[in-house]
Structures are given as C-alpha cells and as structure tokens.
mmCIF file with all atom_site columns, all heavy atoms in Angstrom:
data_model
loop_
_atom_site.group_PDB
_atom_site.id
_atom_site.type_symbol
_atom_site.label_atom_id
_atom_site.label_alt_id
_atom_site.label_comp_id
_atom_site.label_asym_id
_atom_site.label_entity_id
_atom_site.label_seq_id
_atom_site.pdbx_PDB_ins_code
_atom_site.Cartn_x
_atom_site.Cartn_y
_atom_site.Cartn_z
_atom_site.occupancy
_atom_site.B_iso_or_equiv
_atom_site.pdbx_formal_charge
_atom_site.auth_seq_id
_atom_site.auth_comp_id
_atom_site.auth_asym_id
_atom_site.auth_atom_id
_atom_site.pdbx_PDB_model_num
ATOM 1   N N   . TYR H 1 1  ? 18.532 1.500   -23.106 1.00 96.00 ? 1  TYR H N   1
ATOM 2   C CA  . TYR H 1 1  ? 19.448 0.549   -22.456 1.00 96.00 ? 1  TYR H CA  1
ATOM 3   C C   . TYR H 1 1  ? 18.887 0.178   -20.990 1.00 96.00 ? 1  TYR H C   1
ATOM 4   O O   . TYR H 1 1  ? 18.814 -1.014  -20.595 1.00 96.00 ? 1  TYR H O   1
ATOM 5   C CB  . TYR H 1 1  ? 20.797 1.134   -22.422 1.00 96.00 ? 1  TYR H CB  1
ATOM 6   C CG  . TYR H 1 1  ? 21.794 0.360   -21.446 1.00 96.00 ? 1  TYR H CG  1
ATOM 7   C CD1 . TYR H 1 1  ? 22.570 -0.643  -21.948 1.00 96.00 ? 1  TYR H CD1 1
ATOM 8   C CD2 . TYR H 1 1  ? 21.942 0.792   -20.180 1.00 96.00 ? 1  TYR H CD2 1
ATOM 9   C CE1 . TYR H 1 1  ? 23.450 -1.321  -21.159 1.00 96.00 ? 1  TYR H CE1 1
ATOM 10  C CE2 . TYR H 1 1  ? 22.923 0.083   -19.313 1.00 96.00 ? 1  TYR H CE2 1
ATOM 11  C CZ  . TYR H 1 1  ? 23.632 -0.957  -19.802 1.00 96.00 ? 1  TYR H CZ  1
ATOM 12  O OH  . TYR H 1 1  ? 24.543 -1.602  -19.047 1.00 96.00 ? 1  TYR H OH  1
ATOM 13  N N   . VAL H 1 2  ? 18.502 1.218   -20.255 1.00 96.00 ? 2  VAL H N   1
ATOM 14  C CA  . VAL H 1 2  ? 18.143 0.937   -18.805 1.00 96.00 ? 2  VAL H CA  1
ATOM 15  C C   . VAL H 1 2  ? 16.902 0.104   -18.802 1.00 96.00 ? 2  VAL H C   1
ATOM 16  O O   . VAL H 1 2  ? 16.735 -0.807  -18.034 1.00 96.00 ? 2  VAL H O   1
ATOM 17  C CB  . VAL H 1 2  ? 17.973 2.267   -18.023 1.00 96.00 ? 2  VAL H CB  1
ATOM 18  C CG1 . VAL H 1 2  ? 17.557 1.918   -16.625 1.00 96.00 ? 2  VAL H CG1 1
ATOM 19  C CG2 . VAL H 1 2  ? 19.277 3.063   -18.100 1.00 96.00 ? 2  VAL H CG2 1
ATOM 20  N N   . TYR H 1 3  ? 15.960 0.384   -19.641 1.00 97.00 ? 3  TYR H N   1
ATOM 21  C CA  . TYR H 1 3  ? 14.679 -0.392  -19.726 1.00 97.00 ? 3  TYR H CA  1
ATOM 22  C C   . TYR H 1 3  ? 15.062 -1.847  -20.037 1.00 97.00 ? 3  TYR H C   1
ATOM 23  O O   . TYR H 1 3  ? 14.480 -2.789  -19.463 1.00 97.00 ? 3  TYR H O   1
ATOM 24  C CB  . TYR H 1 3  ? 13.709 0.179   -20.769 1.00 97.00 ? 3  TYR H CB  1
ATOM 25  C CG  . TYR H 1 3  ? 12.710 -0.866  -21.262 1.00 97.00 ? 3  TYR H CG  1
ATOM 26  C CD1 . TYR H 1 3  ? 11.721 -1.354  -20.516 1.00 97.00 ? 3  TYR H CD1 1
ATOM 27  C CD2 . TYR H 1 3  ? 12.869 -1.332  -22.602 1.00 97.00 ? 3  TYR H CD2 1
ATOM 28  C CE1 . TYR H 1 3  ? 10.810 -2.241  -20.986 1.00 97.00 ? 3  TYR H CE1 1
ATOM 29  C CE2 . TYR H 1 3  ? 11.999 -2.309  -23.071 1.00 97.00 ? 3  TYR H CE2 1
ATOM 30  C CZ  . TYR H 1 3  ? 10.980 -2.769  -22.268 1.00 97.00 ? 3  TYR H CZ  1
ATOM 31  O OH  . TYR H 1 3  ? 10.119 -3.742  -22.704 1.00 97.00 ? 3  TYR H OH  1
ATOM 32  N N   . GLU H 1 4  ? 15.832 -2.028  -21.039 1.00 97.00 ? 4  GLU H N   1
ATOM 33  C CA  . GLU H 1 4  ? 16.271 -3.434  -21.391 1.00 97.00 ? 4  GLU H CA  1
ATOM 34  C C   . GLU H 1 4  ? 16.964 -4.162  -20.356 1.00 97.00 ? 4  GLU H C   1
ATOM 35  O O   . GLU H 1 4  ? 16.789 -5.347  -20.179 1.00 97.00 ? 4  GLU H O   1
ATOM 36  C CB  . GLU H 1 4  ? 17.133 -3.376  -22.713 1.00 97.00 ? 4  GLU H CB  1
ATOM 37  C CG  . GLU H 1 4  ? 16.429 -2.888  -24.016 1.00 97.00 ? 4  GLU H CG  1
ATOM 38  C CD  . GLU H 1 4  ? 17.279 -2.567  -25.147 1.00 97.00 ? 4  GLU H CD  1
ATOM 39  O OE1 . GLU H 1 4  ? 18.510 -2.755  -24.905 1.00 97.00 ? 4  GLU H OE1 1
ATOM 40  O OE2 . GLU H 1 4  ? 16.750 -2.174  -26.200 1.00 97.00 ? 4  GLU H OE2 1
ATOM 41  N N   . GLN H 1 5  ? 17.885 -3.358  -19.545 1.00 96.00 ? 5  GLN H N   1
ATOM 42  C CA  . GLN H 1 5  ? 18.469 -3.993  -18.408 1.00 96.00 ? 5  GLN H CA  1
ATOM 43  C C   . GLN H 1 5  ? 17.505 -4.531  -17.411 1.00 96.00 ? 5  GLN H C   1
ATOM 44  O O   . GLN H 1 5  ? 17.631 -5.604  -16.840 1.00 96.00 ? 5  GLN H O   1
ATOM 45  C CB  . GLN H 1 5  ? 19.478 -3.035  -17.729 1.00 96.00 ? 5  GLN H CB  1
ATOM 46  C CG  . GLN H 1 5  ? 20.672 -2.723  -18.570 1.00 96.00 ? 5  GLN H CG  1
ATOM 47  C CD  . GLN H 1 5  ? 21.757 -3.778  -18.525 1.00 96.00 ? 5  GLN H CD  1
ATOM 48  O OE1 . GLN H 1 5  ? 22.250 -4.110  -17.495 1.00 96.00 ? 5  GLN H OE1 1
ATOM 49  N NE2 . GLN H 1 5  ? 21.957 -4.397  -19.595 1.00 96.00 ? 5  GLN H NE2 1
ATOM 50  N N   . TYR H 1 6  ? 16.450 -3.752  -17.096 1.00 96.00 ? 6  TYR H N   1
ATOM 51  C CA  . TYR H 1 6  ? 15.413 -4.175  -16.175 1.00 96.00 ? 6  TYR H CA  1
ATOM 52  C C   . TYR H 1 6  ? 14.641 -5.362  -16.825 1.00 96.00 ? 6  TYR H C   1
ATOM 53  O O   . TYR H 1 6  ? 14.322 -6.373  -16.150 1.00 96.00 ? 6  TYR H O   1
ATOM 54  C CB  . TYR H 1 6  ? 14.493 -3.090  -15.834 1.00 96.00 ? 6  TYR H CB  1
ATOM 55  C CG  . TYR H 1 6  ? 14.781 -2.160  -14.731 1.00 96.00 ? 6  TYR H CG  1
ATOM 56  C CD1 . TYR H 1 6  ? 15.094 -0.757  -14.956 1.00 96.00 ? 6  TYR H CD1 1
ATOM 57  C CD2 . TYR H 1 6  ? 15.073 -2.653  -13.470 1.00 96.00 ? 6  TYR H CD2 1
ATOM 58  C CE1 . TYR H 1 6  ? 15.444 -0.006  -13.882 1.00 96.00 ? 6  TYR H CE1 1
ATOM 59  C CE2 . TYR H 1 6  ? 15.445 -1.840  -12.394 1.00 96.00 ? 6  TYR H CE2 1
ATOM 60  C CZ  . TYR H 1 6  ? 15.602 -0.503  -12.614 1.00 96.00 ? 6  TYR H CZ  1
ATOM 61  O OH  . TYR H 1 6  ? 16.015 0.292   -11.505 1.00 96.00 ? 6  TYR H OH  1
ATOM 62  N N   . ARG H 1 7  ? 14.176 -5.133  -18.077 1.00 96.00 ? 7  ARG H N   1
ATOM 63  C CA  . ARG H 1 7  ? 13.317 -6.126  -18.689 1.00 96.00 ? 7  ARG H CA  1
ATOM 64  C C   . ARG H 1 7  ? 14.108 -7.562  -18.728 1.00 96.00 ? 7  ARG H C   1
ATOM 65  O O   . ARG H 1 7  ? 13.437 -8.621  -18.539 1.00 96.00 ? 7  ARG H O   1
ATOM 66  C CB  . ARG H 1 7  ? 13.136 -5.793  -20.224 1.00 96.00 ? 7  ARG H CB  1
ATOM 67  C CG  . ARG H 1 7  ? 12.293 -6.698  -20.967 1.00 96.00 ? 7  ARG H CG  1
ATOM 68  C CD  . ARG H 1 7  ? 12.434 -6.409  -22.439 1.00 96.00 ? 7  ARG H CD  1
ATOM 69  N NE  . ARG H 1 7  ? 13.808 -6.606  -22.923 1.00 96.00 ? 7  ARG H NE  1
ATOM 70  C CZ  . ARG H 1 7  ? 14.238 -6.208  -24.156 1.00 96.00 ? 7  ARG H CZ  1
ATOM 71  N NH1 . ARG H 1 7  ? 13.477 -5.498  -24.934 1.00 96.00 ? 7  ARG H NH1 1
ATOM 72  N NH2 . ARG H 1 7  ? 15.551 -6.433  -24.455 1.00 96.00 ? 7  ARG H NH2 1
ATOM 73  N N   . ASP H 1 8  ? 15.419 -7.554  -18.962 1.00 96.00 ? 8  ASP H N   1
ATOM 74  C CA  . ASP H 1 8  ? 16.167 -8.752  -19.072 1.00 96.00 ? 8  ASP H CA  1
ATOM 75  C C   . ASP H 1 8  ? 16.633 -9.328  -17.716 1.00 96.00 ? 8  ASP H C   1
ATOM 76  O O   . ASP H 1 8  ? 17.345 -10.310 -17.635 1.00 96.00 ? 8  ASP H O   1
ATOM 77  C CB  . ASP H 1 8  ? 17.388 -8.608  -20.045 1.00 96.00 ? 8  ASP H CB  1
ATOM 78  C CG  . ASP H 1 8  ? 16.913 -8.197  -21.450 1.00 96.00 ? 8  ASP H CG  1
ATOM 79  O OD1 . ASP H 1 8  ? 15.765 -8.507  -21.695 1.00 96.00 ? 8  ASP H OD1 1
ATOM 80  O OD2 . ASP H 1 8  ? 17.701 -7.721  -22.137 1.00 96.00 ? 8  ASP H OD2 1
ATOM 81  N N   . GLY H 1 9  ? 16.366 -8.593  -16.649 1.00 94.00 ? 9  GLY H N   1
ATOM 82  C CA  . GLY H 1 9  ? 16.737 -9.067  -15.270 1.00 94.00 ? 9  GLY H CA  1
ATOM 83  C C   . GLY H 1 9  ? 18.216 -8.846  -14.919 1.00 94.00 ? 9  GLY H C   1
ATOM 84  O O   . GLY H 1 9  ? 18.686 -9.347  -13.929 1.00 94.00 ? 9  GLY H O   1
ATOM 85  N N   . GLU H 1 10 ? 18.842 -8.005  -15.792 1.00 93.00 ? 10 GLU H N   1
ATOM 86  C CA  . GLU H 1 10 ? 20.321 -7.719  -15.491 1.00 93.00 ? 10 GLU H CA  1
ATOM 87  C C   . GLU H 1 10 ? 20.449 -6.763  -14.275 1.00 93.00 ? 10 GLU H C   1
ATOM 88  O O   . GLU H 1 10 ? 21.399 -6.791  -13.501 1.00 93.00 ? 10 GLU H O   1
ATOM 89  C CB  . GLU H 1 10 ? 20.940 -7.044  -16.710 1.00 93.00 ? 10 GLU H CB  1
ATOM 90  C CG  . GLU H 1 10 ? 21.088 -7.917  -18.004 1.00 93.00 ? 10 GLU H CG  1
ATOM 91  C CD  . GLU H 1 10 ? 21.961 -9.093  -17.574 1.00 93.00 ? 10 GLU H CD  1
ATOM 92  O OE1 . GLU H 1 10 ? 23.021 -8.938  -16.979 1.00 93.00 ? 10 GLU H OE1 1
ATOM 93  O OE2 . GLU H 1 10 ? 21.744 -10.157 -18.174 1.00 93.00 ? 10 GLU H OE2 1
ATOM 94  N N   . ILE H 1 11 ? 19.403 -5.845  -14.146 1.00 92.00 ? 11 ILE H N   1
ATOM 95  C CA  . ILE H 1 11 ? 19.239 -5.109  -12.864 1.00 92.00 ? 11 ILE H CA  1
ATOM 96  C C   . ILE H 1 11 ? 17.763 -5.279  -12.389 1.00 92.00 ? 11 ILE H C   1
ATOM 97  O O   . ILE H 1 11 ? 16.953 -5.586  -13.195 1.00 92.00 ? 11 ILE H O   1
ATOM 98  C CB  . ILE H 1 11 ? 19.546 -3.560  -13.099 1.00 92.00 ? 11 ILE H CB  1
ATOM 99  C CG1 . ILE H 1 11 ? 18.629 -3.000  -14.190 1.00 92.00 ? 11 ILE H CG1 1
ATOM 100 C CG2 . ILE H 1 11 ? 21.000 -3.365  -13.476 1.00 92.00 ? 11 ILE H CG2 1
ATOM 101 C CD1 . ILE H 1 11 ? 18.767 -1.478  -14.338 1.00 92.00 ? 11 ILE H CD1 1
ATOM 102 N N   . THR H 1 12 ? 17.598 -5.183  -11.099 1.00 88.00 ? 12 THR H N   1
ATOM 103 C CA  . THR H 1 12 ? 16.278 -5.562  -10.581 1.00 88.00 ? 12 THR H CA  1
ATOM 104 C C   . THR H 1 12 ? 15.749 -4.494  -9.548  1.00 88.00 ? 12 THR H C   1
ATOM 105 O O   . THR H 1 12 ? 14.543 -4.547  -9.185  1.00 88.00 ? 12 THR H O   1
ATOM 106 C CB  . THR H 1 12 ? 16.387 -6.827  -9.814  1.00 88.00 ? 12 THR H CB  1
ATOM 107 O OG1 . THR H 1 12 ? 17.434 -6.782  -8.830  1.00 88.00 ? 12 THR H OG1 1
ATOM 108 C CG2 . THR H 1 12 ? 16.667 -8.037  -10.858 1.00 88.00 ? 12 THR H CG2 1
ATOM 109 N N   . SER H 1 13 ? 16.593 -3.657  -9.030  1.00 87.00 ? 13 SER H N   1
ATOM 110 C CA  . SER H 1 13 ? 16.248 -2.804  -7.812  1.00 87.00 ? 13 SER H CA  1
ATOM 111 C C   . SER H 1 13 ? 16.155 -1.335  -8.332  1.00 87.00 ? 13 SER H C   1
ATOM 112 O O   . SER H 1 13 ? 16.799 -0.861  -9.256  1.00 87.00 ? 13 SER H O   1
ATOM 113 C CB  . SER H 1 13 ? 17.274 -2.900  -6.773  1.00 87.00 ? 13 SER H CB  1
ATOM 114 O OG  . SER H 1 13 ? 17.047 -2.026  -5.789  1.00 87.00 ? 13 SER H OG  1
ATOM 115 N N   . ASP H 1 14 ? 15.245 -0.517  -7.557  1.00 86.00 ? 14 ASP H N   1
ATOM 116 C CA  . ASP H 1 14 ? 15.257 0.912   -7.910  1.00 86.00 ? 14 ASP H CA  1
ATOM 117 C C   . ASP H 1 14 ? 16.552 1.435   -7.372  1.00 86.00 ? 14 ASP H C   1
ATOM 118 O O   . ASP H 1 14 ? 16.901 2.550   -7.888  1.00 86.00 ? 14 ASP H O   1
ATOM 119 C CB  . ASP H 1 14 ? 14.053 1.594   -7.231  1.00 86.00 ? 14 ASP H CB  1
ATOM 120 C CG  . ASP H 1 14 ? 14.010 1.453   -5.716  1.00 86.00 ? 14 ASP H CG  1
ATOM 121 O OD1 . ASP H 1 14 ? 14.968 0.932   -5.122  1.00 86.00 ? 14 ASP H OD1 1
ATOM 122 O OD2 . ASP H 1 14 ? 13.033 1.877   -5.046  1.00 86.00 ? 14 ASP H OD2 1
ATOM 123 N N   . ASP H 1 15 ? 17.320 0.866   -6.665  1.00 88.00 ? 15 ASP H N   1
ATOM 124 C CA  . ASP H 1 15 ? 18.695 1.345   -6.232  1.00 88.00 ? 15 ASP H CA  1
ATOM 125 C C   . ASP H 1 15 ? 19.594 1.497   -7.389  1.00 88.00 ? 15 ASP H C   1
ATOM 126 O O   . ASP H 1 15 ? 20.532 2.290   -7.437  1.00 88.00 ? 15 ASP H O   1
ATOM 127 C CB  . ASP H 1 15 ? 19.330 0.432   -5.201  1.00 88.00 ? 15 ASP H CB  1
ATOM 128 C CG  . ASP H 1 15 ? 20.634 0.914   -4.636  1.00 88.00 ? 15 ASP H CG  1
ATOM 129 O OD1 . ASP H 1 15 ? 20.731 1.894   -4.077  1.00 88.00 ? 15 ASP H OD1 1
ATOM 130 O OD2 . ASP H 1 15 ? 21.671 0.222   -5.053  1.00 88.00 ? 15 ASP H OD2 1
ATOM 131 N N   . ASP H 1 16 ? 19.371 0.763   -8.456  1.00 92.00 ? 16 ASP H N   1
ATOM 132 C CA  . ASP H 1 16 ? 20.191 0.753   -9.670  1.00 92.00 ? 16 ASP H CA  1
ATOM 133 C C   . ASP H 1 16 ? 20.170 2.123   -10.383 1.00 92.00 ? 16 ASP H C   1
ATOM 134 O O   . ASP H 1 16 ? 21.046 2.456   -11.106 1.00 92.00 ? 16 ASP H O   1
ATOM 135 C CB  . ASP H 1 16 ? 19.832 -0.370  -10.584 1.00 92.00 ? 16 ASP H CB  1
ATOM 136 C CG  . ASP H 1 16 ? 20.254 -1.733  -10.034 1.00 92.00 ? 16 ASP H CG  1
ATOM 137 O OD1 . ASP H 1 16 ? 21.436 -2.097  -10.106 1.00 92.00 ? 16 ASP H OD1 1
ATOM 138 O OD2 . ASP H 1 16 ? 19.426 -2.445  -9.525  1.00 92.00 ? 16 ASP H OD2 1
ATOM 139 N N   . VAL H 1 17 ? 19.063 2.794   -10.239 1.00 92.00 ? 17 VAL H N   1
ATOM 140 C CA  . VAL H 1 17 ? 18.968 4.082   -10.952 1.00 92.00 ? 17 VAL H CA  1
ATOM 141 C C   . VAL H 1 17 ? 18.714 5.247   -10.004 1.00 92.00 ? 17 VAL H C   1
ATOM 142 O O   . VAL H 1 17 ? 18.709 6.353   -10.462 1.00 92.00 ? 17 VAL H O   1
ATOM 143 C CB  . VAL H 1 17 ? 17.666 4.021   -11.898 1.00 92.00 ? 17 VAL H CB  1
ATOM 144 C CG1 . VAL H 1 17 ? 17.951 3.116   -13.070 1.00 92.00 ? 17 VAL H CG1 1
ATOM 145 C CG2 . VAL H 1 17 ? 16.385 3.636   -11.187 1.00 92.00 ? 17 VAL H CG2 1
ATOM 146 N N   . ALA H 1 18 ? 18.724 4.991   -8.762  1.00 87.00 ? 18 ALA H N   1
ATOM 147 C CA  . ALA H 1 18 ? 18.467 6.102   -7.747  1.00 87.00 ? 18 ALA H CA  1
ATOM 148 C C   . ALA H 1 18 ? 19.667 6.958   -7.619  1.00 87.00 ? 18 ALA H C   1
ATOM 149 O O   . ALA H 1 18 ? 20.863 6.481   -7.751  1.00 87.00 ? 18 ALA H O   1
ATOM 150 C CB  . ALA H 1 18 ? 18.123 5.393   -6.324  1.00 87.00 ? 18 ALA H CB  1
ATOM 151 N N   . VAL H 1 19 ? 19.396 8.195   -7.445  1.00 85.00 ? 19 VAL H N   1
ATOM 152 C CA  . VAL H 1 19 ? 20.488 9.249   -7.184  1.00 85.00 ? 19 VAL H CA  1
ATOM 153 C C   . VAL H 1 19 ? 20.056 10.197  -6.053  1.00 85.00 ? 19 VAL H C   1
ATOM 154 O O   . VAL H 1 19 ? 18.949 10.291  -5.779  1.00 85.00 ? 19 VAL H O   1
ATOM 155 C CB  . VAL H 1 19 ? 20.875 10.031  -8.419  1.00 85.00 ? 19 VAL H CB  1
ATOM 156 C CG1 . VAL H 1 19 ? 21.428 9.211   -9.491  1.00 85.00 ? 19 VAL H CG1 1
ATOM 157 C CG2 . VAL H 1 19 ? 19.667 10.793  -8.994  1.00 85.00 ? 19 VAL H CG2 1
ATOM 158 N N   . MET H 1 20 ? 21.050 10.776  -5.331  1.00 81.00 ? 20 MET H N   1
ATOM 159 C CA  . MET H 1 20 ? 20.760 11.862  -4.502  1.00 81.00 ? 20 MET H CA  1
ATOM 160 C C   . MET H 1 20 ? 20.463 13.063  -5.315  1.00 81.00 ? 20 MET H C   1
ATOM 161 O O   . MET H 1 20 ? 21.112 13.415  -6.237  1.00 81.00 ? 20 MET H O   1
ATOM 162 C CB  . MET H 1 20 ? 21.989 12.091  -3.610  1.00 81.00 ? 20 MET H CB  1
ATOM 163 C CG  . MET H 1 20 ? 21.750 13.176  -2.483  1.00 81.00 ? 20 MET H CG  1
ATOM 164 S SD  . MET H 1 20 ? 20.575 12.537  -1.309  1.00 81.00 ? 20 MET H SD  1
ATOM 165 C CE  . MET H 1 20 ? 20.671 13.920  -0.111  1.00 81.00 ? 20 MET H CE  1
ATOM 166 N N   . LEU H 1 21 ? 19.231 13.691  -5.017  1.00 71.00 ? 21 LEU H N   1
ATOM 167 C CA  . LEU H 1 21 ? 18.720 14.762  -5.920  1.00 71.00 ? 21 LEU H CA  1
ATOM 168 C C   . LEU H 1 21 ? 18.539 16.023  -5.128  1.00 71.00 ? 21 LEU H C   1
ATOM 169 O O   . LEU H 1 21 ? 17.980 16.017  -3.981  1.00 71.00 ? 21 LEU H O   1
ATOM 170 C CB  . LEU H 1 21 ? 17.396 14.289  -6.482  1.00 71.00 ? 21 LEU H CB  1
ATOM 171 C CG  . LEU H 1 21 ? 16.541 15.266  -7.203  1.00 71.00 ? 21 LEU H CG  1
ATOM 172 C CD1 . LEU H 1 21 ? 17.307 15.666  -8.597  1.00 71.00 ? 21 LEU H CD1 1
ATOM 173 C CD2 . LEU H 1 21 ? 15.239 14.713  -7.607  1.00 71.00 ? 21 LEU H CD2 1
ATOM 174 N N   . ASP H 1 22 ? 19.000 17.155  -5.717  1.00 74.00 ? 22 ASP H N   1
ATOM 175 C CA  . ASP H 1 22 ? 18.668 18.484  -5.212  1.00 74.00 ? 22 ASP H CA  1
ATOM 176 C C   . ASP H 1 22 ? 17.347 18.805  -5.862  1.00 74.00 ? 22 ASP H C   1
ATOM 177 O O   . ASP H 1 22 ? 17.268 19.157  -6.992  1.00 74.00 ? 22 ASP H O   1
ATOM 178 C CB  . ASP H 1 22 ? 19.694 19.525  -5.614  1.00 74.00 ? 22 ASP H CB  1
ATOM 179 C CG  . ASP H 1 22 ? 19.490 20.805  -4.995  1.00 74.00 ? 22 ASP H CG  1
ATOM 180 O OD1 . ASP H 1 22 ? 18.378 21.288  -4.911  1.00 74.00 ? 22 ASP H OD1 1
ATOM 181 O OD2 . ASP H 1 22 ? 20.555 21.499  -4.598  1.00 74.00 ? 22 ASP H OD2 1
ATOM 182 N N   . MET H 1 23 ? 16.260 18.835  -4.938  1.00 71.00 ? 23 MET H N   1
ATOM 183 C CA  . MET H 1 23 ? 14.900 19.090  -5.491  1.00 71.00 ? 23 MET H CA  1
ATOM 184 C C   . MET H 1 23 ? 14.751 20.511  -6.003  1.00 71.00 ? 23 MET H C   1
ATOM 185 O O   . MET H 1 23 ? 13.780 20.799  -6.819  1.00 71.00 ? 23 MET H O   1
ATOM 186 C CB  . MET H 1 23 ? 13.884 18.719  -4.448  1.00 71.00 ? 23 MET H CB  1
ATOM 187 C CG  . MET H 1 23 ? 13.759 17.175  -4.106  1.00 71.00 ? 23 MET H CG  1
ATOM 188 S SD  . MET H 1 23 ? 13.306 16.195  -5.598  1.00 71.00 ? 23 MET H SD  1
ATOM 189 C CE  . MET H 1 23 ? 11.694 16.860  -5.957  1.00 71.00 ? 23 MET H CE  1
ATOM 190 N N   . ASP H 1 24 ? 15.544 21.387  -5.555  1.00 74.00 ? 24 ASP H N   1
ATOM 191 C CA  . ASP H 1 24 ? 15.384 22.802  -6.017  1.00 74.00 ? 24 ASP H CA  1
ATOM 192 C C   . ASP H 1 24 ? 16.003 22.972  -7.427  1.00 74.00 ? 24 ASP H C   1
ATOM 193 O O   . ASP H 1 24 ? 15.388 23.695  -8.301  1.00 74.00 ? 24 ASP H O   1
ATOM 194 C CB  . ASP H 1 24 ? 16.054 23.795  -5.065  1.00 74.00 ? 24 ASP H CB  1
ATOM 195 C CG  . ASP H 1 24 ? 15.283 23.827  -3.734  1.00 74.00 ? 24 ASP H CG  1
ATOM 196 O OD1 . ASP H 1 24 ? 14.137 23.638  -3.721  1.00 74.00 ? 24 ASP H OD1 1
ATOM 197 O OD2 . ASP H 1 24 ? 15.977 23.988  -2.639  1.00 74.00 ? 24 ASP H OD2 1
ATOM 198 N N   . THR H 1 25 ? 17.167 22.395  -7.682  1.00 78.00 ? 25 THR H N   1
ATOM 199 C CA  . THR H 1 25 ? 17.897 22.547  -8.941  1.00 78.00 ? 25 THR H CA  1
ATOM 200 C C   . THR H 1 25 ? 17.731 21.335  -9.834  1.00 78.00 ? 25 THR H C   1
ATOM 201 O O   . THR H 1 25 ? 18.086 21.396  -11.103 1.00 78.00 ? 25 THR H O   1
ATOM 202 C CB  . THR H 1 25 ? 19.335 22.803  -8.731  1.00 78.00 ? 25 THR H CB  1
ATOM 203 O OG1 . THR H 1 25 ? 20.028 21.640  -8.122  1.00 78.00 ? 25 THR H OG1 1
ATOM 204 C CG2 . THR H 1 25 ? 19.593 23.997  -7.836  1.00 78.00 ? 25 THR H CG2 1
#
C-alpha cells in the first residue's frame, strides 16, 4: 500500500512515513 501511495503520487514526502524512533529499542 505505502509503495503504491508513493508511486501514484497520493503521498510525496518522507514526512508521510517518518516516525520518532528510539534507536536502542
């Protein structure tokens, strides 16, 4: 789904999939 959303231009930015991440866990 997420790939298709990017491919079809429904989402365009890395902000659409970005999350705050705890790099340890």
